[in-house]
Every structure is written in C-alpha cells, then in structure tokens.
Amino acid sequence: MTVKFNNRDPVYVQVIRHFKEQIAKGFFEPGQEIPSRRELAHQLKINPNTAQRAYKEMEEQGLIFTEGNMPSCITKDEAVLKSVREELIVEAVDLFLGSIKSINVPLSEVLELVEKKYDAESGETEESK
C-alpha cells in the first residue's frame, strides 16, 4: 500500500481519504480485513499514533469495525459504502464547478464537453449508445 502525502492536510486525514478512495474503487470489499495499525504505520512509514488516529476516526465514521481482538475490517453497511462514493463524487464536482465557473462557461457547453470526454475515456461512441 502506498500513499503520496501532501504537506497541506494532516497525514491521518490523507490516510482516511486513501481508504475511502480504495473502497469507492472496489479495491476494499465489504467485510475485508485491513492491515493492523502497526502494519499500516510500517507500510506507509508513518507514526503508529497517526495510524491509530486514522483508524479511530474511520471507526467513528462507520467505515471500519473491530470486534474484540479480531483484525479491523471494512464495513458491510451499504449505506455507509454508498455515502463514501457520493462524498468523493461531490468533492470532485465541487472542485470542477469552481474551475468552470471562474471562466464563465455556459452549463450547456460544459455538459456537452463532459459527456464527450467521458464517452471518449470509457471508449463509447454515439453508435454504441
């Protein structure tokens, strides 16, 4: 597991975001075991207290659960998993809209360009729709 850390956000927040992205991409399945706090700290070369803080926050958010002395696992709660995906989508859309609004592009033009780009990225053509 590798994470490129930036200097703007606290490391534990970046670790949480990484887990959310991995969940949204399907790399972590519901109920899947995740590394222990110490393993994660070692893998990411971060302070074990930082890993602990990230796990504690993820447990509070319902992203992971730990039962007794068992390893921590990704939640099986579909509502939480869906909200993670929606949160990431909203963040991306907000960032995108901020950029577009600053150059006064009409919404119809933006939507047309987004659809063309999205289709090109996914290999779709007008005929395949």
Side-chain angles (χ1 to χ4, degrees):
M1 179 181 311
T2 58
V3 178
K4 288 187 178 182
F5 295 111
N6 66 51
N7 292 327
R8 295 182 314 268
D9 304 313
V11 173
Y12 82 95
V13 171
Q14 294 177 68
V15 170
I16 294 168
R17 178 160 183 84
H18 174 75
F19 271 86
K20 287 179 176 181
E21 289 171 352
Q22 298 306 303
I23 290 168
K25 291 176 183 177
F27 292 134
F28 285 137
E29 297 290 323
Q32 181 179 336
E33 215 175 275
I34 59 174
S36 72
R37 289 146 176 82
R38 286 184 189 196
E39 288 174 67
L40 183 76
H42 178 72
Q43 288 175 5
L44 300 181
K45 296 175 179 44
I46 61 174
N47 187 306
N49 292 330
T50 302
Q52 171 62 29
R53 185 166 181 190
Y55 275 45
K56 182 179 182 293
E57 184 74 26
M58 288 191 293
E59 283 179 345
E60 288 173 3
Q61 293 178 17
L63 282 175
I64 65 172
F65 64 94
T66 309
E67 296 175 350
N69 288 335
M70 301 299 291
S72 296
C73 298
I74 300 296
T75 185
K76 296 176 184 176
D77 186 331
E78 290 297 322
V80 171
L81 297 171
K82 183 178 178 187
S83 73
V84 165
R85 183 174 166 79
E86 287 174 2
E87 175 187 332
L88 295 174
I89 292 169
V90 167
E91 283 179 18
V93 168
D94 286 347
L95 188 65
F96 173 72
L97 287 177
S99 300
I100 293 301
K101 283 186 172 186
S102 69
I103 56 175
N104 296 320
V105 180
L107 180 59
S108 59
E109 187 178 341
V110 170
L111 293 175
E112 183 180 326
L113 290 169
V114 167
E115 187 172 4
K116 281 182 186 177
K117 184 70 174 169
Y118 190 87
D119 290 349
E121 293 282 324
S122 61
E124 275 190 38
T125 62
E126 264 319 297
E127 296 82 44
S128 67
K129 285 186 178 180

